[in-house]
Amino acid sequence: VHAGRDLRNCEQLAHSEVRAAREAECFSNSRWSKSYCVKDRATVATQNMFPDKGKQCVCSVFEQAMKDTSPFPSSNLTGVSNASTR
């Protein structure tokens, strides 16, 4: 999840932490509940490196990072394999 990012940059670290929390830490059927969990976990992780601005960094990248599925196609996140559609 952290590949190609400069983790000394608050926004890049926050982006990476949002993706990591979305995929590995937060599981919920409720969109609101999952978003809350992801934002909380990413904020805690980002504030470890950037105590004064970690929350601000997470908020600034949150929507974009939640939609970012690279390098995987978005269908892989739902359990649908591209191979099965050929």
Side-chain angles (χ1 to χ4, degrees):
V1 174
H2 300 302
R5 300 229 173 250
D6 179 0
L7 302 182
R8 297 167 294 177
N9 176 289
C10 187
E11 285 78 16
Q12 289 188 29
L13 175 63
H15 187 104
S16 186
E17 293 296 348
V18 167
R19 290 182 46 159
R22 180 193 70 207
E23 296 304 318
E25 297 180 39
C26 300
F27 303 98
S28 175
N29 291 332
S30 164
R31 184 176 181 177
W32 181 87
S33 197
K34 183 167 184 162
S35 289
Y36 179 84
C37 176
V38 169
K39 191 174 275 188
D40 180 66
R41 299 286 78 219
T43 298
V44 168
T46 304
Q47 284 180 326
N48 284 327
M49 293 275 296
F50 299 95
D52 296 331
K53 63 179 188 172
K55 183 175 183 175
Q56 177 184 352
C57 291
V58 170
C59 289
S60 72
V61 302
F62 187 76
E63 292 301 322
Q64 178 186 4
M66 285 294 283
K67 295 175 186 173
D68 184 0
T69 61
S70 64
F72 307 106
S74 59
S75 62
N76 283 355
L77 296 178
T78 61
V80 176
S81 170
N82 286 339
S84 66
T85 60
R86 290 183 191 160

Coordinates of all heavy atoms in Angstrom, one line a residue:
V1 N 0.8 -1.2 0.0 CA 0.0 0.0 0.0 C 0.9 1.3 0.0 O 0.5 2.3 -0.5 CB -1.0 0.0 1.2 CG1 -1.7 1.3 1.3 CG2 -1.9 -1.2 1.2
H2 N 2.1 1.2 0.6 CA 2.9 2.4 0.7 C 3.9 2.6 -0.5 O 4.6 3.5 -0.6 CB 3.8 2.3 1.9 CG 3.0 2.2 3.2 ND1 2.1 3.2 3.6 CD2 3.0 1.3 4.2 CE1 1.5 2.9 4.7 NE2 2.1 1.7 5.1
A3 N 3.8 1.7 -1.5 CA 4.8 1.8 -2.7 C 4.6 3.1 -3.4 O 3.6 3.6 -3.7 CB 4.5 0.6 -3.6
G4 N 5.8 3.6 -3.7 CA 5.8 4.8 -4.5 C 5.5 6.1 -3.8 O 5.2 7.1 -4.4
R5 N 5.4 6.1 -2.5 CA 5.0 7.3 -1.7 C 6.2 7.7 -0.9 O 6.9 6.9 -0.4 CB 3.8 6.9 -0.8 CG 2.6 6.5 -1.6 CD 1.4 7.2 -1.2 NE 0.3 6.9 -2.0 CZ -0.2 7.8 -2.9 NH1 0.2 9.0 -3.0 NH2 -1.3 7.5 -3.6
D6 N 6.3 9.0 -0.7 CA 7.3 9.6 0.2 C 6.6 9.7 1.6 O 5.8 10.7 1.8 CB 7.7 11.0 -0.3 CG 8.7 11.6 0.7 OD1 9.1 11.0 1.7 OD2 9.2 12.7 0.3
L7 N 6.8 8.8 2.5 CA 6.1 8.8 3.7 C 6.6 9.9 4.7 O 6.0 9.9 5.8 CB 6.2 7.4 4.4 CG 5.6 6.3 3.5 CD1 5.7 4.9 4.2 CD2 4.2 6.6 3.0
R8 N 7.5 10.7 4.3 CA 7.9 11.9 5.1 C 7.0 13.1 4.7 O 7.1 14.1 5.4 CB 9.4 12.2 4.8 CG 10.3 11.1 5.3 CD 11.7 11.3 4.8 NE 11.6 11.1 3.3 CZ 12.6 11.3 2.5 NH1 13.8 11.6 2.9 NH2 12.5 11.2 1.2
N9 N 6.1 12.9 3.7 CA 5.2 13.9 3.3 C 3.8 13.6 4.0 O 3.3 12.5 3.8 CB 5.1 13.9 1.8 CG 4.0 14.9 1.3 OD1 2.8 14.6 1.5 ND2 4.5 15.9 0.7
C10 N 3.3 14.5 4.7 CA 2.1 14.2 5.5 C 0.9 13.8 4.6 O 0.2 12.8 5.0 CB 1.7 15.5 6.3 SG 0.3 15.2 7.4
E11 N 0.7 14.4 3.5 CA -0.5 14.1 2.7 C -0.3 12.7 2.0 O -1.2 11.9 1.9 CB -0.7 15.1 1.6 CG -1.4 16.4 2.1 CD -0.4 17.3 2.8 OE1 0.8 17.2 2.7 OE2 -0.9 18.2 3.6
Q12 N 1.0 12.4 1.6 CA 1.2 11.1 1.0 C 1.1 10.0 2.1 O 0.6 8.9 1.8 CB 2.6 11.1 0.3 CG 2.6 11.9 -0.9 CD 3.8 11.8 -1.7 OE1 4.5 10.7 -1.7 NE2 4.2 12.8 -2.4
L13 N 1.6 10.2 3.3 CA 1.4 9.2 4.3 C -0.1 9.0 4.6 O -0.5 7.9 4.8 CB 2.2 9.7 5.6 CG 2.0 8.8 6.8 CD1 2.5 7.4 6.5 CD2 2.7 9.4 8.0
A14 N -0.8 10.1 4.8 CA -2.2 10.0 5.1 C -3.0 9.2 4.0 O -3.8 8.4 4.3 CB -2.8 11.4 5.2
H15 N -2.7 9.5 2.7 CA -3.3 8.8 1.6 C -3.0 7.3 1.8 O -4.0 6.5 1.7 CB -2.7 9.3 0.3 CG -3.4 8.7 -0.9 ND1 -4.3 9.5 -1.7 CD2 -3.3 7.5 -1.5 CE1 -4.7 8.8 -2.7 NE2 -4.1 7.6 -2.6
S16 N -1.8 6.9 2.1 CA -1.4 5.5 2.2 C -2.1 4.9 3.4 O -2.6 3.7 3.4 CB 0.1 5.4 2.3 OG 0.5 4.1 2.4
E17 N -2.2 5.6 4.5 CA -2.9 5.1 5.7 C -4.4 4.9 5.5 O -4.9 4.0 6.1 CB -2.6 6.0 6.9 CG -1.1 6.0 7.3 CD -0.6 4.7 7.8 OE1 -1.4 3.7 8.1 OE2 0.6 4.5 8.0
V18 N -5.0 5.8 4.8 CA -6.4 5.6 4.5 C -6.6 4.3 3.7 O -7.5 3.5 4.0 CB -7.0 6.9 3.7 CG1 -8.4 6.5 3.1 CG2 -7.0 8.1 4.6
R19 N -5.8 4.1 2.7 CA -5.9 2.9 1.9 C -5.7 1.7 2.7 O -6.4 0.7 2.6 CB -5.0 3.0 0.7 CG -5.4 4.0 -0.3 CD -4.4 3.9 -1.5 NE -4.2 2.6 -1.9 CZ -3.7 2.2 -3.0 NH1 -3.4 3.1 -3.9 NH2 -3.5 0.9 -3.3
A20 N -4.7 1.7 3.6 CA -4.3 0.6 4.4 C -5.5 0.2 5.4 O -5.8 -0.9 5.6 CB -3.0 0.9 5.2
A21 N -6.0 1.3 6.0 CA -7.1 1.1 6.9 C -8.4 0.5 6.2 O -9.0 -0.4 6.7 CB -7.5 2.3 7.7
R22 N -8.6 1.0 5.0 CA -9.8 0.6 4.2 C -9.7 -0.9 3.9 O -10.7 -1.6 4.0 CB -9.9 1.4 2.9 CG -11.0 1.1 2.0 CD -10.9 1.7 0.7 NE -9.8 1.0 -0.1 CZ -9.1 1.6 -1.0 NH1 -9.3 2.8 -1.4 NH2 -8.1 0.9 -1.6
E23 N -8.5 -1.3 3.6 CA -8.3 -2.7 3.1 C -8.0 -3.7 4.3 O -8.4 -4.9 4.1 CB -7.2 -2.8 2.1 CG -7.4 -2.1 0.9 CD -8.7 -2.5 0.2 OE1 -8.9 -3.7 0.1 OE2 -9.4 -1.6 -0.3
A24 N -7.4 -3.3 5.4 CA -6.9 -4.2 6.4 C -7.5 -4.1 7.8 O -7.4 -5.0 8.5 CB -5.4 -4.2 6.4
E25 N -8.1 -2.9 8.1 CA -8.4 -2.7 9.5 C -9.9 -2.5 9.7 O -10.4 -2.7 10.8 CB -7.7 -1.5 10.0 CG -6.2 -1.7 10.1 CD -5.5 -0.5 10.6 OE1 -6.0 0.1 11.6 OE2 -4.4 -0.2 10.1
C26 N -10.6 -2.0 8.7 CA -12.0 -1.6 8.9 C -13.0 -2.5 8.1 O -12.9 -2.4 6.8 CB -12.2 -0.2 8.6 SG -11.2 0.9 9.7
F27 N -13.8 -3.2 8.7 CA -14.8 -4.1 8.0 C -16.2 -3.8 8.6 O -16.4 -3.8 9.7 CB -14.5 -5.5 8.3 CG -13.1 -5.9 7.8 CD1 -12.0 -6.0 8.7 CD2 -12.8 -6.1 6.5 CE1 -10.8 -6.3 8.4 CE2 -11.5 -6.5 6.1 CZ -10.5 -6.5 7.0
S28 N -17.0 -3.4 7.7 CA -18.4 -3.0 8.1 C -19.3 -3.0 6.8 O -18.8 -2.7 5.7 CB -18.5 -1.6 8.7 OG -19.8 -1.3 9.0
N29 N -20.5 -3.4 7.0 CA -21.5 -3.4 5.9 C -22.1 -1.9 5.8 O -22.6 -1.6 4.7 CB -22.6 -4.3 6.2 CG -22.2 -5.8 6.0 OD1 -21.2 -6.0 5.3 ND2 -22.8 -6.7 6.7
S30 N -21.9 -1.1 6.8 CA -22.4 0.2 6.7 C -21.3 1.1 6.2 O -20.2 1.2 6.7 CB -22.8 0.7 8.2 OG -22.9 2.1 8.2
R31 N -21.7 1.9 5.1 CA -20.7 2.8 4.5 C -20.2 3.9 5.5 O -19.1 4.2 5.6 CB -21.4 3.5 3.3 CG -20.5 4.3 2.5 CD -21.2 4.8 1.3 NE -20.3 5.7 0.5 CZ -20.7 6.2 -0.6 NH1 -21.8 6.0 -1.1 NH2 -19.8 6.9 -1.3
W32 N -21.2 4.4 6.3 CA -20.8 5.4 7.3 C -19.9 4.9 8.3 O -18.9 5.5 8.7 CB -22.1 6.0 8.0 CG -21.7 7.0 9.0 CD1 -21.6 8.4 8.7 CD2 -21.4 6.8 10.4 NE1 -21.2 9.0 9.9 CE2 -21.1 8.1 10.9 CE3 -21.4 5.7 11.2 CZ2 -20.8 8.3 12.3 CZ3 -21.1 5.9 12.5 CH2 -20.8 7.2 13.1
S33 N -20.2 3.7 8.8 CA -19.4 3.0 9.9 C -18.0 2.7 9.4 O -17.0 3.0 10.1 CB -20.1 1.8 10.3 OG -19.6 1.3 11.5
K34 N -17.9 2.3 8.1 CA -16.5 2.0 7.6 C -15.8 3.2 7.4 O -14.6 3.3 7.7 CB -16.7 1.2 6.3 CG -15.3 0.8 5.7 CD -15.4 -0.2 4.6 CE -14.0 -0.5 4.2 NZ -13.9 -1.8 3.4
S35 N -16.4 4.3 6.9 CA -15.7 5.6 6.7 C -15.2 6.1 8.0 O -14.1 6.6 8.1 CB -16.6 6.6 6.0 OG -16.9 6.2 4.7
Y36 N -16.0 6.1 9.0 CA -15.6 6.5 10.3 C -14.4 5.8 10.8 O -13.4 6.4 11.3 CB -16.8 6.4 11.3 CG -16.4 6.9 12.7 CD1 -16.5 8.2 13.0 CD2 -16.0 6.0 13.7 CE1 -16.2 8.7 14.3 CE2 -15.6 6.4 14.9 CZ -15.7 7.8 15.2 OH -15.4 8.2 16.5
C37 N -14.4 4.5 10.7 CA -13.3 3.6 11.1 C -12.0 4.0 10.4 O -11.0 4.1 10.9 CB -13.7 2.1 11.0 SG -12.3 1.0 11.4
V38 N -12.2 4.0 9.0 CA -11.0 4.3 8.2 C -10.4 5.7 8.6 O -9.2 5.8 8.8 CB -11.4 4.3 6.7 CG1 -10.2 4.8 5.8 CG2 -11.7 2.9 6.3
K39 N -11.2 6.7 8.7 CA -10.7 8.0 9.0 C -10.0 8.0 10.4 O -9.0 8.6 10.6 CB -11.8 9.0 9.0 CG -11.3 10.5 9.1 CD -12.5 11.5 8.9 CE -12.7 11.7 7.4 NZ -13.6 12.8 7.1
D40 N -10.6 7.3 11.4 CA -10.1 7.3 12.7 C -8.7 6.5 12.7 O -7.7 7.0 13.2 CB -11.0 6.6 13.7 CG -10.5 6.5 15.1 OD1 -10.3 7.5 15.7 OD2 -10.2 5.3 15.5
R41 N -8.6 5.4 12.1 CA -7.4 4.6 12.1 C -6.3 5.3 11.3 O -5.1 5.4 11.7 CB -7.6 3.2 11.4 CG -8.6 2.3 12.1 CD -8.1 1.7 13.4 NE -8.1 2.7 14.5 CZ -7.2 2.8 15.5 NH1 -6.2 2.0 15.5 NH2 -7.3 3.7 16.4
A42 N -6.7 5.9 10.2 CA -5.7 6.7 9.4 C -5.2 7.9 10.1 O -4.0 8.2 10.0 CB -6.3 7.1 8.0
T43 N -6.1 8.6 10.8 CA -5.7 9.7 11.6 C -4.7 9.4 12.7 O -3.7 10.0 12.9 CB -6.9 10.5 12.2 OG1 -7.7 10.9 11.1 CG2 -6.5 11.6 13.0
V44 N -5.0 8.3 13.5 CA -4.1 7.9 14.5 C -2.7 7.5 14.0 O -1.7 7.9 14.5 CB -4.7 6.6 15.3 CG1 -3.7 6.0 16.2 CG2 -5.9 7.0 16.0
A45 N -2.7 6.8 12.9 CA -1.4 6.4 12.3 C -0.6 7.6 11.7 O 0.6 7.7 11.9 CB -1.7 5.4 11.1
T46 N -1.3 8.5 11.1 CA -0.6 9.7 10.5 C -0.1 10.6 11.6 O 0.9 11.2 11.5 CB -1.6 10.4 9.5 OG1 -2.0 9.5 8.5 CG2 -0.9 11.6 8.9
Q47 N -0.9 10.7 12.7 CA -0.5 11.6 13.8 C 0.7 11.1 14.5 O 1.4 11.8 15.2 CB -1.6 11.8 14.8 CG -2.7 12.8 14.2 CD -3.8 13.0 15.2 OE1 -4.2 12.1 15.9 NE2 -4.3 14.2 15.2
N48 N 1.1 9.8 14.4 CA 2.3 9.3 14.9 C 3.5 10.0 14.4 O 4.5 10.3 15.1 CB 2.4 7.8 14.7 CG 1.6 7.0 15.7 OD1 1.3 7.4 16.8 ND2 1.1 5.9 15.2
M49 N 3.4 10.3 13.1 CA 4.6 11.0 12.4 C 4.3 12.5 12.4 O 5.3 13.3 12.4 CB 4.7 10.5 11.0 CG 5.2 9.1 10.8 SD 6.9 8.9 10.9 CE 7.4 9.8 9.5
F50 N 3.1 13.0 12.3 CA 2.8 14.4 12.2 C 1.7 14.8 13.2 O 0.5 14.9 12.9 CB 2.2 14.7 10.8 CG 3.2 14.4 9.7 CD1 3.2 13.2 9.0 CD2 4.2 15.3 9.3 CE1 4.1 12.9 8.0 CE2 5.1 15.0 8.3 CZ 5.0 13.8 7.7
P51 N 2.1 14.9 14.5 CA 1.2 15.1 15.6 C 0.3 16.4 15.4 O -0.8 16.4 15.8 CB 2.1 15.2 16.8 CG 3.4 14.7 16.5 CD 3.5 14.8 15.0
D52 N 0.9 17.4 14.8 CA 0.2 18.7 14.7 C -0.8 18.8 13.5 O -1.7 19.5 13.6 CB 1.2 19.9 14.7 CG 1.9 20.0 16.0 OD1 1.4 19.6 17.1 OD2 3.1 20.4 16.0
K53 N -0.5 18.1 12.5 CA -1.3 18.2 11.3 C -1.8 16.9 10.7 O -2.3 16.9 9.6 CB -0.6 19.0 10.2 CG 0.7 18.4 9.7 CD 1.3 19.4 8.6 CE 2.5 18.7 7.9 NZ 3.0 19.5 6.8
G54 N -1.6 15.8 11.4 CA -2.0 14.5 10.9 C -3.5 14.4 10.5 O -3.9 14.0 9.4
K55 N -4.4 14.9 11.4 CA -5.8 14.9 11.1 C -6.2 15.8 9.9 O -7.0 15.4 9.1 CB -6.6 15.4 12.3 CG -8.1 15.3 12.2 CD -8.8 15.7 13.4 CE -10.3 15.6 13.3 NZ -11.0 15.8 14.5
Q56 N -5.6 16.9 9.8 CA -5.8 17.8 8.6 C -5.4 17.1 7.3 O -6.1 17.2 6.3 CB -5.0 19.1 8.8 CG -5.1 20.1 7.7 CD -4.3 21.3 7.9 OE1 -3.7 21.5 8.9 NE2 -4.2 22.1 6.8
C57 N -4.2 16.4 7.4 CA -3.8 15.7 6.2 C -4.7 14.6 5.8 O -5.0 14.4 4.6 CB -2.4 15.2 6.4 SG -1.1 16.4 6.6
V58 N -5.2 13.8 6.7 CA -6.2 12.8 6.4 C -7.4 13.4 5.8 O -7.9 12.9 4.8 CB -6.5 11.9 7.7 CG1 -7.7 11.0 7.4 CG2 -5.3 11.1 8.1
C59 N -7.9 14.4 6.4 CA -9.2 15.0 5.9 C -9.0 15.6 4.5 O -9.9 15.5 3.6 CB -9.6 16.2 6.8 SG -10.3 15.6 8.4
S60 N -7.8 16.1 4.2 CA -7.6 16.6 2.8 C -7.5 15.6 1.7 O -7.7 15.9 0.6 CB -6.3 17.5 2.8 OG -5.1 16.8 2.9
V61 N -7.1 14.4 2.1 CA -6.9 13.3 1.0 C -8.0 12.2 1.1 O -8.0 11.3 0.3 CB -5.5 12.7 1.1 CG1 -4.4 13.7 0.9 CG2 -5.3 11.9 2.4
F62 N -8.8 12.3 2.1 CA -9.7 11.2 2.4 C -10.6 10.7 1.3 O -10.5 9.5 0.9 CB -10.6 11.5 3.6 CG -11.4 10.3 4.1 CD1 -10.8 9.3 4.9 CD2 -12.8 10.2 3.8 CE1 -11.5 8.2 5.3 CE2 -13.5 9.1 4.2 CZ -12.9 8.1 5.0
E63 N -11.3 11.5 0.6 CA -12.2 11.1 -0.5 C -11.4 10.5 -1.6 O -11.8 9.5 -2.1 CB -13.1 12.3 -1.0 CG -14.1 12.8 0.1 CD -15.1 11.7 0.5 OE1 -15.5 10.9 -0.4 OE2 -15.4 11.7 1.7
Q64 N -10.3 11.1 -2.0 CA -9.5 10.6 -3.1 C -8.9 9.3 -2.7 O -8.9 8.3 -3.5 CB -8.4 11.6 -3.5 CG -7.5 11.1 -4.6 CD -6.3 12.0 -4.8 OE1 -6.2 13.0 -4.1 NE2 -5.6 11.7 -5.8
A65 N -8.4 9.1 -1.5 CA -7.8 7.9 -1.1 C -8.8 6.7 -1.0 O -8.4 5.6 -1.3 CB -7.0 8.1 0.2
M66 N -10.0 7.1 -0.6 CA -11.0 6.0 -0.5 C -11.4 5.4 -1.8 O -11.7 4.3 -1.9 CB -12.3 6.6 0.2 CG -12.1 6.7 1.7 SD -11.9 5.2 2.6 CE -13.6 4.6 2.6
K67 N -11.3 6.2 -2.9 CA -11.6 5.8 -4.2 C -10.4 5.1 -4.9 O -10.6 4.5 -6.0 CB -12.1 7.0 -5.1 CG -13.4 7.5 -4.6 CD -13.7 8.8 -5.3 CE -15.0 9.5 -4.7 NZ -15.3 10.7 -5.4
D68 N -9.2 5.3 -4.4 CA -8.0 4.9 -5.0 C -7.8 3.4 -4.9 O -7.6 2.9 -3.7 CB -6.8 5.6 -4.5 CG -5.5 5.3 -5.1 OD1 -5.4 4.4 -6.1 OD2 -4.4 5.8 -4.7
T69 N -7.9 2.6 -5.9 CA -7.7 1.2 -5.9 C -6.4 0.7 -6.6 O -6.2 -0.5 -6.7 CB -8.9 0.4 -6.5 OG1 -9.0 0.8 -7.9 CG2 -10.2 0.8 -5.8
S70 N -5.6 1.7 -7.1 CA -4.4 1.3 -7.9 C -3.5 0.5 -7.0 O -3.5 0.7 -5.8 CB -3.8 2.5 -8.4 OG -3.3 3.3 -7.4
P71 N -2.8 -0.4 -7.5 CA -2.7 -0.9 -8.8 C -3.7 -1.9 -9.2 O -3.6 -2.6 -10.2 CB -1.3 -1.5 -8.9 CG -1.1 -2.1 -7.6 CD -1.8 -1.2 -6.6
F72 N -4.7 -2.1 -8.4 CA -5.7 -3.2 -8.7 C -7.0 -2.6 -9.3 O -7.4 -1.5 -8.9 CB -6.1 -3.9 -7.4 CG -4.9 -4.4 -6.6 CD1 -4.5 -3.7 -5.5 CD2 -4.2 -5.5 -7.1 CE1 -3.3 -4.2 -4.8 CE2 -3.1 -5.9 -6.4 CZ -2.6 -5.3 -5.2
P73 N -7.6 -3.3 -10.2 CA -8.9 -2.8 -10.7 C -9.9 -2.8 -9.6 O -9.8 -3.6 -8.7 CB -9.3 -3.9 -11.8 CG -8.0 -4.7 -12.0 CD -7.1 -4.6 -10.8
S74 N -10.8 -1.9 -9.6 CA -11.8 -1.7 -8.5 C -12.6 -3.0 -8.4 O -13.1 -3.3 -7.3 CB -12.7 -0.5 -8.8 OG -13.4 -0.7 -10.0
S75 N -12.8 -3.8 -9.4 CA -13.6 -5.0 -9.3 C -13.0 -6.0 -8.4 O -13.6 -6.9 -7.8 CB -13.9 -5.6 -10.7 OG -12.6 -6.0 -11.3
N76 N -11.6 -6.0 -8.2 CA -11.0 -6.9 -7.3 C -11.3 -6.7 -5.9 O -11.3 -7.6 -5.1 CB -9.4 -6.8 -7.5 CG -9.0 -7.6 -8.7 OD1 -9.8 -8.2 -9.4 ND2 -7.7 -7.4 -9.1
L77 N -11.7 -5.5 -5.5 CA -12.0 -5.1 -4.2 C -13.4 -5.7 -3.8 O -13.7 -5.9 -2.6 CB -12.0 -3.6 -3.9 CG -10.6 -3.0 -4.1 CD1 -10.8 -1.5 -3.9 CD2 -9.6 -3.5 -3.1
T78 N -14.2 -6.0 -4.7 CA -15.5 -6.6 -4.4 C -15.5 -8.1 -4.5 O -16.5 -8.7 -4.4 CB -16.6 -6.0 -5.4 OG1 -16.2 -6.3 -6.7 CG2 -16.7 -4.5 -5.2
G79 N -14.3 -8.7 -4.8 CA -14.3 -10.1 -4.9 C -14.6 -10.7 -6.3 O -14.6 -11.9 -6.5
V80 N -14.7 -9.8 -7.3 CA -15.0 -10.3 -8.6 C -13.7 -10.3 -9.4 O -12.9 -9.3 -9.5 CB -16.0 -9.3 -9.4 CG1 -16.2 -9.7 -10.8 CG2 -17.3 -9.2 -8.6
S81 N -13.3 -11.4 -9.9 CA -12.1 -11.6 -10.7 C -12.3 -11.2 -12.1 O -13.3 -11.5 -12.8 CB -11.6 -13.0 -10.6 OG -10.6 -13.3 -11.5
N82 N -11.3 -10.5 -12.7 CA -11.3 -10.1 -14.1 C -11.2 -11.3 -15.0 O -11.8 -11.4 -16.1 CB -10.2 -9.2 -14.4 CG -10.4 -7.8 -13.9 OD1 -11.6 -7.4 -13.6 ND2 -9.4 -7.0 -13.8
A83 N -10.6 -12.4 -14.5 CA -10.4 -13.6 -15.3 C -11.8 -14.3 -15.5 O -12.0 -14.9 -16.5 CB -9.5 -14.6 -14.6
S84 N -12.7 -14.1 -14.6 CA -14.0 -14.8 -14.7 C -14.9 -14.1 -15.7 O -15.9 -14.6 -16.1 CB -14.7 -14.9 -13.4 OG -15.0 -13.6 -12.9
T85 N -14.5 -12.9 -16.2 CA -15.4 -12.1 -17.1 C -14.9 -12.3 -18.5 O -15.5 -11.7 -19.4 CB -15.4 -10.6 -16.7 OG1 -14.0 -10.1 -16.8 CG2 -16.0 -10.4 -15.4
R86 N -13.9 -13.1 -18.8 CA -13.4 -13.3 -20.1 C -14.2 -14.3 -20.9 O -14.7 -15.2 -20.4 CB -11.9 -13.7 -20.1 CG -11.0 -12.6 -19.6 CD -9.6 -13.1 -19.7 NE -8.8 -12.1 -19.0 CZ -7.6 -12.3 -18.5 NH1 -7.0 -13.5 -18.6 NH2 -7.0 -11.4 -17.9

